[in-house]
């Protein structure tokens, strides 16, 4: 399998975000929440505060490093939930067919009819703000495409010789699904999950920006932008750096996902002369 | 065509009904808490008497089945309930703000189409050129960027630094107020349209019938106009339809950022104070709009490409 330049750029950016999140407690010069000092608020970037300080005098660079932890948690956990729901529903629907298939199909269509950010907002309205509700909201939002892919892959894999052999040997339905079918459709699902991480990070940022996601003082990149509109004239760095962090990490996930897709499926490779 | 149109429109109804049910279920899983959280101010618990009064007034203490029946009968009469906060009918609140939202959504989509489609087209006709490379880098960046952040930066540059445009608000509804929010909201569909148009045009250019058209001596201009544009159009229309959903979702954030008085900011404000009837009603109206747009797209699609109807 060969990977293009975009894939490696995406992988590099993703690794950078992961390292930032893991190493934050060691490489961050300050504490993300406690080192607030109104005497040093809204300082422009300099040698001590690389990305400047915010309205409470906290170091923006430190908070961005810690923010990577939240973004990664949101991206990974929400996509694990999404994939589990999508795989389970799609695979069983494709394998068993019948009324169950109709039901899953109907549910998928309904989910696709609700814009995903709106659905997440509704769930947040019920559960209230905070990280756990955010993980649930975003985990329940984006499984419909995964479900569709799982269903159609199952439909085509069902008639393969090795699946029929397993049926003849008397394997149970679930055993066939998880040992024979699932491993053969992991590629496209992995692609969906990688691209989904990008949109989950964007949704988290948007919800936190609206004040409905991660609550201050916790350093989420989105919540760091909440008061940026008021501050932007005086301290533009408060707005620029967290947004840049979101942009680069989402760019990383997207390039990684696109690159994975291109190398898994040569037909979908973008034609380049 | 008429039968197809009717069938497609009738298909919307069950989806709306199921979405309405889903919304009811979501907001009923934690009964009673809404009244409590509506009055709680974070410091002290809400006054039990106030909660009881609100529960009484809105029938929140009735059994779930009874509330469900009321909800459905009200919905059937286009009654979306009454706001907890303002005591106004939800439908009036939504009607007041619908115009501004539609204005913004349409302006954003038009901007995306007018810029994105030609860019994708030109990029595909000259693959590997500077324009192609720049367009594709721009597209993947546009898809990875938090829109509200781009909006913030544009607000900083064009409103606060250069003073060309108003920084936020609806103002007197003039075009100048619309520019920044519409451009911000249009960036993601623009990026996606540029990308799909390019891919679609490239696909068509490699098709057999294009070679046939060339070999029978059709001029380049004519080939592009007759065959390429027409076939790429199907893809573009589909993308527009699909993108409307995420555009409506994103509009919520952009309306809030630019203090735009649409249903998006109504939704966010209502979620923040947990004014559930307004949240429910707004979401239902948004979904209805999205479904209507998708139906319209399907119909246009069928008109462009006769093969669709037979399915």
């Amino acid at each position: 399998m060969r990977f293009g330049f975009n894939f490696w750029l995406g992988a590099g950016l993703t690794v950078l975000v992961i390292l930032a999140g893991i190493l934050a407690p060691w490489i961050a010069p300050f504490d993300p929440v406690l080192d607030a000092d109104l005497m040093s608020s809204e300082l422009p970037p300099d040698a001590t505060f690389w990305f400047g300080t915010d309205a409470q005098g906290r170091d923006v660079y430190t908070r961005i490093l810690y923010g990577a932890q939240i973004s990664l948690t949101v991206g990974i956990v929400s996509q694990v939930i999404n994939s589990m729901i999508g795989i389970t529903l799609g695979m069983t629907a494709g394998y068993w067919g019948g009324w169950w298939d109709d039901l899953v199909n109907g549910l998928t269509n309904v989910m696709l009819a609700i814009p995903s950010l709106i659905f997440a907002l509704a769930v947040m309205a019920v559960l209230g703000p905070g990280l756990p509700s955010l993980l649930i909201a975003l985990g329940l939002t984006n499984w419909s495409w995964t479900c569709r892919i799982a269903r159609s892959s199952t439909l085509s894999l069902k008639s393969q010789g090795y699946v029929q052999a397993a049926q003849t040997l008397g394997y149970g339905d679930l055993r066939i699904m998880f040992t024979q079918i699932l491993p053969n459709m992991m590629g496209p699902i992995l692609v969906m999950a990688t691209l989904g991480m990008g949109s989950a990070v964007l949704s988290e940022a948007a919800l936190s920006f609206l004040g409905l996601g991660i609550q201050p003082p916790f350093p989420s990149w989105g919540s760091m932008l909440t008061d940026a509109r008021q501050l932007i004239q005086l301290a533009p760095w408060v707005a620029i750096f967290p947004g840049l962090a979101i942009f680069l990490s989402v760019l990383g996930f997207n390039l990684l996902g696109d690159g994975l897709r291109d190398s898994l499926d040569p037909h979908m490779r973008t034609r380049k002369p | 065509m008429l039968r197809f149109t009717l069938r497609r429109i009738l298909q919307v109804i069950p989806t709306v009904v199921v979405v309405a049910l889903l919304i009811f279920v979501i907001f009923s899983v934690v009964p009673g808490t809404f009244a409590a959280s509506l009055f709680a101010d974070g410091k002290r618990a809400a006054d039990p008497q106030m909660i009881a009064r609100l529960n009484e007034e809105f029938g929140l203490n009735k059994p779930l089945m009874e509330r469900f029946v009321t909800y459905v009968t009200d919905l059937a009469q286009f009654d979306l309930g009454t706001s907890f906060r303002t005591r106004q009918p939800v439908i009036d609140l939504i009607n007041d703000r619908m115009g501004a939202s539609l204005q913004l959504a349409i302006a954003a989509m038009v901007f995306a189409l007018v810029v994105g489609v030609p860019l994708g087209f030109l990029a595909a006709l000259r693959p590997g050129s500077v324009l192609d490379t720049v367009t594709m880098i721009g597209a993947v960046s546009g898809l990875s960027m938090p829109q509200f952040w781009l909006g913030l930066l544009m607000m900083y540059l064009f409103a606060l630094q250069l003073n060309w445009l108003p920084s936020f608000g609806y103002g007197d509804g003039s075009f100048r107020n619309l520019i920044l929010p519409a451009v911000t909201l249009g960036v993601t569909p623009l990026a996606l349209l540029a990308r799909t148009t390019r891919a679609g045009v490239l696909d068509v250019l490699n098709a057999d019938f294009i070679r046939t058209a060339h070999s029978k001596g059709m001029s380049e201009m004519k080939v592009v106009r007759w065959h390429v544009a027409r076939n790429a159009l199907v893809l573009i229309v589909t993308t527009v339809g699909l993108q409307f959903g995420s555009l409506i979702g994103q509009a919520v954030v952009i309306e809030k950022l630019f203090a735009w008085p649409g249903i998006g900011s109504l939704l966010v404000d209502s979620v923040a104070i947990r004014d559930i009837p307004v949240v429910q009603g707004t979401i239902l109206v948004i979904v209805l709009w999205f479904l209507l747009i998708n139906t319209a797209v399907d119909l246009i699609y069928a008109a462009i490409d006769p093969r669709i109807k037979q399915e």
Side-chain angles (χ1 to χ4, degrees):
Chain A
M1 211 186 288
R2 279 186 67 240
F3 293 113
F5 170 75
N6 283 357
F7 173 84
W8 291 112
L9 183 62
L13 286 169
T14 308
V15 168
L16 204 66
V17 177
I18 294 175
L19 284 180
I22 294 176
L23 297 178
W26 291 279
I27 55 175
F30 299 94
D31 186 276
V33 179
L34 299 174
D35 278 338
D37 178 7
L38 291 178
M39 295 298 285
S40 61
S41 70
E42 289 159 43
L43 291 177
D46 62 19
T48 331
F49 305 108
W50 291 3
F51 295 168
T53 62
D54 64 9
Q56 281 78 37
R58 294 173 299 212
D59 181 34
V60 174
Y61 173 64
T62 301
R63 287 172 65 74
I64 284 181
L65 289 180
Y66 277 94
Q69 294 178 342
I70 292 180
S71 287
L72 283 172
T73 311
V74 167
I76 294 169
V77 175
S78 70
Q79 289 322 296
V80 169
I81 301 176
N82 270 324
S83 306
M84 287 197 313
I85 299 175
I87 290 171
T88 312
L89 289 181
M91 203 162 58
T92 49
Y95 194 80
W96 285 327
W99 64 271
W100 175 244
D101 189 26
D102 292 339
L103 187 74
V104 170
N105 252 331
L107 197 62
T108 316
N109 284 336
V110 168
M111 285 302 291
L112 287 173
I114 309 178
S116 54
L117 197 64
I118 301 286
F119 186 81
L121 226 115
V123 178
M124 295 304 286
V126 174
L127 297 177
L131 185 62
S133 11
L134 203 58
L135 295 176
I136 297 172
L138 296 177
L140 292 178
T141 309
N142 257 332
W143 51 266
S144 10
W145 289 110
T146 311
C147 180
R148 284 201 165 174
I149 291 174
R151 181 176 170 274
S152 59
S153 318
T154 308
L155 281 177
S156 65
L157 289 170
K158 206 162 64 165
S159 53
Q160 296 280 320
Y162 58 88
V163 175
Q164 284 171 343
Q167 282 168 337
T168 320
L169 285 172
Y171 280 25
D173 284 357
L174 287 177
R175 184 164 169 200
I176 292 176
M177 279 185 234
F178 282 94
T179 62
Q180 310 296 317
I181 294 178
L182 182 61
N184 287 298
M185 61 185 194
M186 273 324 277
I189 291 195
L190 206 65
V191 172
M192 283 308 290
T194 315
L195 294 172
M197 276 178 69
S199 56
V201 169
L202 283 178
S203 301
E204 182 274 321
L207 289 170
S208 298
F209 170 72
L210 293 174
L212 304 170
I214 306 283
Q215 300 291 296
F218 293 105
S220 138
W221 293 338
S223 65
M224 288 171 75
L225 289 167
T226 308
D227 43 357
R229 200 179 88 176
Q230 281 76 41
L231 284 173
I232 196 164
Q233 184 116 41
L234 286 167
W237 52 89
V238 174
I240 290 172
F241 292 110
L244 211 55
I246 302 171
F247 170 50
L248 289 177
S249 62
V250 176
L251 185 68
F253 296 141
N254 283 347
L255 290 177
L256 198 64
D258 283 349
L260 270 179
R261 182 180 51 203
D262 287 353
S263 43
L264 282 172
D265 182 2
H267 299 295
M268 290 180 78
R269 187 166 297 163
T270 34
R271 267 153 291 253
K272 262 260 159 98
Chain B
M1 187 67 196
L2 184 72
R3 268 187 61 194
F4 178 77
T5 311
L6 276 175
R7 204 178 67 214
R8 203 53 200 79
I9 290 173
L10 287 178
Q11 275 170 356
V12 173
I13 297 170
T15 317
V16 173
V17 172
V18 177
V19 170
L21 293 186
L22 192 69
I23 293 175
F24 181 82
V25 171
I26 291 177
F27 288 102
S28 303
V29 274
V30 269
T33 51
F34 296 129
S37 62
L38 193 59
F39 291 117
D41 54 6
K43 294 186 198 81
R44 59 200 160 77
D47 181 358
Q49 270 188 325
M50 298 262 279
I51 295 176
R53 223 182 61 206
L54 193 88
N55 279 337
E56 188 63 38
E57 187 182 340
F58 287 93
L60 295 174
N61 45 1
K62 295 212 183 89
L64 196 64
M65 265 323 281
E66 205 180 318
R67 268 163 49 205
F68 179 67
V69 171
T70 325
Y71 173 72
V72 172
T73 27
D74 283 355
L75 262 190
Q77 303 162 34
F78 299 102
D79 179 358
L80 294 176
T82 314
S83 159
F84 283 166
R85 189 49 67 100
T86 63
R87 300 293 197 275
Q88 277 173 287
V90 173
I91 194 110
D92 291 353
L93 289 171
I94 291 175
N95 274 339
D96 285 349
R97 294 179 170 236
M98 205 64 205
S101 272
L102 283 180
Q103 207 182 346
L104 179 59
I106 292 170
M109 202 40 110
V110 168
F111 166 72
L113 274 167
V114 168
V115 182
V117 172
L119 271 181
F121 222 99
L122 291 174
L125 293 181
R126 300 275 173 273
S129 66
V130 178
L131 178 80
D132 183 30
T133 316
V134 171
T135 306
M136 285 308 106
I137 292 176
V140 72
S141 307
L143 290 173
S144 307
M145 209 174 271
Q147 282 184 27
F148 63 92
W149 178 62
L150 186 71
L152 263 173
L153 297 186
M154 288 202 292
M155 187 192 274
Y156 177 66
L157 181 64
F158 295 110
L160 301 173
Q161 294 298 309
L162 298 170
N163 247 322
W164 288 353
L165 294 163
S167 56
F168 57 83
Y170 189 69
D172 50 2
S174 73
F175 184 64
R176 281 165 47 82
N177 288 74
L178 185 62
I179 295 176
L180 277 184
V183 168
T184 309
L185 190 56
V187 165
T188 304
L190 190 163
L192 215 77
L193 274 170
R195 227 159 98 149
T196 30
T197 307
R198 178 179 178 275
V201 171
L202 276 180
D203 245 357
V204 182
L205 284 177
N206 289 334
D208 288 339
F209 60 85
I210 297 293
R211 207 170 334 120
T212 313
H214 275 302
S215 54
K216 74 181 181 194
M218 219 171 172
S219 74
E220 180 73 31
M221 240 342 250
K222 251 187 161 164
V223 172
V224 168
R225 203 152 16 125
W226 270 102
H227 291 296
V228 182
R230 204 171 153 169
N231 279 286
L233 200 60
V234 177
L235 201 63
I236 294 166
V237 170
T238 322
T239 313
V240 170
L242 281 174
Q243 272 304 293
F244 244 103
S246 69
L247 187 134
I248 294 169
Q250 280 300 320
V252 170
V253 190
I254 304 306
E255 283 183 8
K256 195 67 195 152
L257 172 69
F258 286 101
W260 190 260
I263 53 173
S265 45
L266 176 69
L267 176 61
V268 175
D269 294 340
S270 307
V271 169
I273 61 168
R274 306 191 110 197
D275 193 343
I276 300 306
V278 183
V279 176
Q280 285 181 332
T282 321
I283 293 178
L284 202 59
V285 168
I286 289 176
V287 170
L288 193 62
W289 267 105
F290 180 47
L291 284 172
L292 288 178
I293 289 163
N294 271 343
T295 308
V297 164
D298 274 4
L299 294 180
I300 298 172
Y301 202 92
I304 305 172
D305 189 343
R307 282 168 302 184
I308 310 286
K309 262 180 294 183
Q310 283 149 17
E311 278 171 22

